[in-house]
């Protein structure tokens, strides 16, 4: 059973702080890793994708991938109240063509003004 | 990313009836998926919609209950058949493009309530 695990939270941080979200996965052969943000009542939207070990930065967001330890994290710098949402980690378990993603249960983030 | 139109956006249905949800994309896409998301829960994949052939269903989902069509590379439908209150959920369509490296983009979703 291929799994993706996240702490459900809620994770509460003050405005301006760094929010750190973590995700572990069970399939060592996983190739692609994604962070999606989902506001209440809305559909998920892609924030970051990462495919190789190391860090990938996009604005206030940094994704970190460590394949040896099988975890991927998302850092949000200078957190804003508008970042309050559920963050979903998704993993593509192989390089095959079915393109399915395995989803974590999501971490709820609350940024307090 | 593709523009995905999903409709209806919401509906309230009676027990025992069926609802068909449509997903239209503004460009040809490789893969189309249908998910269910119950309140406060993560995404559960129902099936992969295959163009020109039967959909591939995940464990726990069957064609008789969730028939899916995909007549071309830009359109798919999901029908929720013989509905019960347990089918009340948000249903989401997602797509993957040809060179998107597994990135999925989502429609706005259909919020279904079954009375």
């Amino acid at each position: 059973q291929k799994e993706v695990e996240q702490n459900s939270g809620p994770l509460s941080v003050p405005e301006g702080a760094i929010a750190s979200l973590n995700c572990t996965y069970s399939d060592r052969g996983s190739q692609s890793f994604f962070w999606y943000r989902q506001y209440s009542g809305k559909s998920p939207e892609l924030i970051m994708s990462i495919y190789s070990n190391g860090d990938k930065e996009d604005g206030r967001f940094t994704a970190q991938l460590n394949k040896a330890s099988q975890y991927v994290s998302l850092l949000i710098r200078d957190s804003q109240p508008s970042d309050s949402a559920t963050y979903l980690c998704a993993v593509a378990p192989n390089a095959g063509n079915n393109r399915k993603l395995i989803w974590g249960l999501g971490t709820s983030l609350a940024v307090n003004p | 990313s593709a523009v995905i139109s999903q409709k209806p956006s919401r509906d309230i249905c009676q027990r025992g009836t069926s609802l068909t949800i449509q997903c239209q994309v503004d460009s040809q896409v490789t893969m189309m998926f249908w998910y269910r998301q119950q309140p406060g829960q993560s995404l559960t994949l129902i099936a992969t919609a295959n163009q020109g052939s039967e959909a591939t269903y995940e464990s726990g989902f069957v064609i008789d209950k969730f028939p899916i069509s995909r007549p071309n590379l830009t359109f798919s439908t999901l029908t929720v058949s013989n509905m019960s209150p347990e089918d009340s959920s948000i249903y989401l369509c997602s797509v993957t493009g040809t060179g998107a490296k597994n990135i999925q983009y989502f429609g706005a979703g259909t919020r279904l309530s079954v009375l």
Side-chain angles (χ1 to χ4, degrees):
Chain A
Q1 181 81 5
K2 296 170 182 173
E3 294 182 344
V4 173
E5 295 190 358
Q6 301 178 247
N7 290 327
S8 61
L11 174 65
S12 182
V13 301
E15 183 174 356
I18 296 175
S20 178
L21 305 165
N22 298 310
C23 171
T24 60
Y25 59 94
S26 62
D27 185 357
R28 187 171 288 278
S30 298
Q31 301 288 321
S32 311
F33 307 85
F34 309 94
W35 284 100
Y36 285 78
R37 178 177 62 198
Q38 187 173 26
Y39 291 114
S40 180
K42 302 294 185 182
S43 59
E45 58 179 323
L46 180 71
I47 298 177
M48 294 286 286
S49 60
I50 188 166
Y51 304 97
S52 56
N53 279 327
D55 294 359
K56 179 181 178 182
E57 186 175 318
D58 184 0
R60 295 186 296 111
F61 299 97
T62 299
Q64 299 175 318
L65 175 61
N66 185 321
K67 288 187 177 181
S69 300
Q70 295 177 236
Y71 81 80
V72 56
S73 63
L74 179 69
L75 301 178
I76 306 174
R77 291 183 300 281
D78 187 24
S79 295
Q80 301 296 308
S82 59
D83 295 324
S84 299
T86 296
Y87 290 80
L88 299 169
C89 175
V91 176
N94 55 51
N97 292 326
N98 64 18
R99 307 246 182 157
K100 291 195 304 184
L101 297 179
I102 308 300
W103 295 85
L105 296 180
T107 298
S108 175
L109 172 65
V111 180
N112 305 307
Chain B
S1 64
V3 176
I4 305 164
S5 300
Q6 188 175 335
K7 58 183 181 181
S9 59
R10 60 177 63 231
D11 208 340
I12 301 173
C13 300
Q14 296 297 319
R15 180 194 300 260
T17 63
S18 298
L19 176 71
T20 296
I21 302 168
Q22 298 181 1
C23 181
Q24 176 75 57
V25 192
D26 69 342
S27 59
Q28 293 184 349
V29 293
T30 303
M31 309 291 288
M32 298 182 78
F33 302 94
W34 287 98
Y35 287 90
R36 182 172 71 185
Q37 187 174 34
Q38 297 185 311
Q41 302 297 313
S42 189
L43 302 170
T44 300
L45 181 64
I46 298 172
T48 302
N50 300 309
Q51 192 266 327
S53 64
E54 189 172 292
T56 304
Y57 289 85
E58 297 300 304
S59 177
F61 297 96
V62 295
I63 188 172
D64 289 346
K65 176 67 175 177
F66 297 101
I68 289 171
S69 76
R70 189 178 173 192
N72 55 52
L73 293 176
T74 64
F75 185 77
S76 178
T77 66
L78 168 73
T79 299
V80 186
S81 302
N82 188 25
M83 288 185 285
S84 67
E86 292 71 34
D87 295 319
S88 298
S89 189
I90 297 172
Y91 292 85
L92 292 155
C93 165
S94 76
V95 305
T96 297
T98 54
K101 287 185 119 176
N102 294 321
I103 294 175
Q104 291 187 20
Y105 299 98
F106 287 84
T110 297
R111 186 179 296 272
L112 171 62
S113 297
V114 183
L115 305 179

